[in-house]
Amino acid sequence: MSKLTIDPDRDVLLVIDIQNDFCPGGALAVPEGDAVLPVANRLGARFPHVVLTQDWHPRGHHSFASAHEGRQPFETIEAHYGAQTLWADHCVQGTTGAEFHPDLHLPQAELVLRKGFRREIDSYSAFFENDRTTATGLAGYLRERGLRRVFALGLALDYCVAYSALDGRREGFEVFLVEDGCRGIDLDGSVAEALKWMAEAGVKLVTSEEINQ
Ligand code: VGL
Ligand code: ZN
């Protein structure tokens, strides 16, 4: 792809869940999760608008295996809204694990969007919770501010980043996935699957090098 030029009026960098629990040493560590930090910091410094998301669960959240007797992380249960993967307790509100990684330097971020705070519903996407109908308000926020092109990166590629990119398309935004700014969990081929769905939905893959800075 040829170089993309950042449009100061329409473009936003959406930085997904770069939190301690998703980085090495965290409760739900994504392999090489901390490798996204330099990309996020470098690109963030050049974007006119930056939005951060923060996975933010109450204790005993329904997506935690520990909330279901006899269940283990990475098993699947049937929630009232459909299949839900179970995770180790992570990103509990007010804990160190839920804080942004200390090396993430994006103080200019204009919005920190917290998600997954309803005990009974998980929320991978920055736009909709996992019932696919409860909105987080992000689409309205972006639209009202005239932001039309979303550049997404962060953790994890195959969960929160992919769901956010797909929902961004569903909400009519142009979406670019910054590949080198993402790392995945990769449960049962979930990275390949996420890439396929995103391609089908018209999400454009770019590297941070292709974005004119
Ligand atoms: C995520 C699993 C559970 C993510 C959040 O940020 O990708 N994955 N909660
Ligand atoms: Zn979570």
Side-chain angles (χ1 to χ4, degrees):
M1 187 187 274
S2 57
K3 288 259 185 189
L4 272 160
T5 303
I6 297 172
D7 180 336
D9 297 323
R10 293 192 306 150
D11 293 351
V12 60
L13 184 68
L14 182 61
V15 178
I16 309 278
D17 297 0
I18 307 187
Q19 295 164 259
N20 289 325
D21 271 344
F22 296 124
C23 291
L28 180 40
V30 177
E32 299 178 4
D34 52 350
V36 308
L37 285 159
V39 182
N41 290 338
R42 201 168 58 233
L43 218 46
R46 268 94 180 181
F47 262 75
H49 304 288
V50 178
V51 169
L52 311 180
T53 71
Q54 191 171 25
D55 211 36
W56 195 248
H57 300 307
R59 281 182 201 287
H61 191 258
H62 200 71
S63 75
F64 296 170
S66 63
H68 306 270
E69 220 185 298
R71 294 307 196 121
Q72 298 301 317
F74 307 124
E75 290 180 5
T76 303
I77 56 156
E78 205 52 38
H80 60 89
Y81 47 78
Q84 170 68 50
T85 303
L86 295 177
W87 308 102
D89 292 19
H90 65 280
C91 298
V92 173
Q93 296 169 2
T95 63
T96 306
E99 286 171 15
F100 292 116
H101 191 285
D103 296 336
L104 184 70
H105 290 301
L106 297 171
Q108 72 279 29
E110 296 165 4
L111 173 72
V112 175
L113 183 112
R114 289 174 167 170
K115 61 185 181 60
F117 50 76
R118 287 187 179 79
R119 179 183 287 266
E120 309 297 333
I121 316 181
D122 203 3
S123 187
Y124 295 150
S125 159
F127 292 95
F128 290 99
E129 304 197 18
N130 284 12
D131 62 0
R132 320 307 301 135
T133 52
T134 305
T136 63
L138 181 61
Y141 173 89
L142 296 178
R143 257 185 229 119
E144 234 183 291
R145 298 198 50 212
L147 301 170
R148 305 297 308 154
R149 298 204 305 182
V150 176
F151 291 75
L153 57 73
L155 305 171
L157 169 63
D158 37 352
Y159 289 92
C160 292
V161 179
Y163 278 70
S164 298
L166 289 167
D167 281 347
R169 291 294 299 140
R170 178 176 150 200
E171 282 295 314
F173 296 95
E174 196 172 346
V175 181
F176 297 87
L177 182 95
V178 185
E179 294 177 80
D180 51 324
C182 300
R183 290 294 185 279
I185 297 173
D186 210 11
L187 273 189
D188 302 325
S190 53
V191 165
E193 200 172 56
L195 290 171
K196 178 170 157 275
W197 286 342
M198 286 191 281
E200 282 168 8
V203 174
K204 294 166 191 153
L205 283 191
V206 295
T207 65
S208 60
E209 292 298 311
E210 287 168 334
I211 302 170
N212 254 335
Q213 308 186 342

